[in-house]
Amino acid sequence: MGKLKRKEYDELLQPLQLELTAMARWVQHSGQRLLVLFEGRDTAGKGGAIQAISQHLNPRQCRVVALPKPTDRESTQWYFQRYASHLPAAGEIVLMDRSWYNRAGVERVMGYCSEAEYQQFLHQAPVFEQLLVDDGILLFKYWLCVDQAQQEKRFAERHSDPLKGWKLSPVDLKSRSKYSAYTEAREAMLRATHRDAAPWTLVDFNDQRLGRLSLVRNLLDRLPDTRVDEPVLDLPKLKGKLHVEHYDVLRPIEDFPVQD
């Protein structure tokens, strides 16, 4: 099967995004709290999947969380502390572009945490997630899968495209030779943290467009019936002549050259 074409992808995504807007109304109406974790290898497509979900949702309701490297102060806190401050409140949706599972992935493979810290994480993560679920948070955990050949192709695209250069970090370059180590770390993580209360779902992202569609469909199918009737707003025609903008103190810029 060849790669999914852009036109076909857009046609398949649109009805899913309509379902997502309906889901968001349900979350807001019911006061639910929805938390979705996106994990996976570098270049797997986490950002694109998150954008497909959040693109047409109200950013005041749907927040994307992508935390930077912890500060010196945060590194002395309980490991889960800085993530807990970003959990959703009633009516909110939080999409985490990487999460506390950094410790089971990049920190483990690249040696950024000690063996004791790693083992403590594997023990505490299921407990932490059980507490979240027990408190009523709807928690979904997705791991995006990509073969090394496809990963290398995407690394090369980032390296050659100045608009994507920010996606390529020194850590990414160091991790290229550790594909097998990341596989071992993922499998250890799944054995320790794939629980009934907070299971993992793996999604094939070798074709990123197909992967996004599969992930969104899976997420929607696993949520309860989210239909909430949308109020129909009347948009009457304004009376009188429509106004044209006028300015006194400052005028808007018109500097961009446009060819006829």
Side-chain angles (χ1 to χ4, degrees), residues 43-204:
T43 79
K46 296 177 287 295
I50 290 171
Q51 184 181 30
I53 293 173
S54 63
Q55 183 177 8
H56 297 292
L57 302 186
N58 187 340
R60 296 184 181 89
Q61 179 194 15
C62 179
R63 292 187 287 111
V64 178
V65 176
L67 299 184
K69 178 182 176 181
T71 64
D72 290 342
R73 181 176 183 275
E74 287 173 334
S75 65
T76 67
Q77 296 173 342
W78 176 49
Y79 179 72
F80 295 92
Q81 187 169 336
R82 75 182 189 129
Y83 295 101
S85 65
H86 295 279
L87 296 174
E92 291 183 347
I93 301 167
V94 171
L95 310 176
M96 283 196 173
D97 187 346
R98 297 197 183 275
S99 65
W100 46 86
Y101 281 99
N102 273 336
R103 177 136 295 175
V106 63
E107 291 190 22
R108 170 62 170 174
V109 174
M110 303 303 292
Y112 296 154
C113 67
S114 68
E115 178 66 22
E117 289 171 329
Y118 169 70
Q119 293 297 334
Q120 185 179 53
F121 170 83
L122 293 182
H123 172 73
Q124 289 186 349
V127 179
F128 177 64
E129 292 168 3
Q130 183 69 59
L131 291 173
L132 300 183
V133 173
D134 287 348
D135 199 59
I137 289 179
L138 301 174
L139 173 61
F140 297 89
K141 304 187 303 188
Y142 288 99
W143 180 274
L144 282 53
C145 309
V146 61
D147 295 338
Q148 191 172 23
Q150 188 61 239
Q151 185 185 48
E152 281 295 291
K153 179 180 177 181
R154 294 173 189 172
F155 273 138
E157 290 174 354
R158 293 181 178 184
H159 185 261
S160 62
D161 187 346
L163 296 178
K164 296 182 178 180
W166 64 271
K167 294 183 177 183
L168 195 60
S169 71
V171 175
D172 295 335
L173 296 177
K174 290 180 181 178
S175 69
R176 288 176 57 225
S177 62
K178 298 182 180 294
Y179 188 92
S180 295
Y182 273 100
T183 300
E184 294 174 5
R186 181 196 64 210
E187 293 305 298
M189 177 198 75
L190 293 175
R191 284 191 291 271
T193 63
H194 179 61
R195 304 293 177 85
D196 290 341
W200 279 98
T201 300
L202 275 60
V203 187
D204 186 341

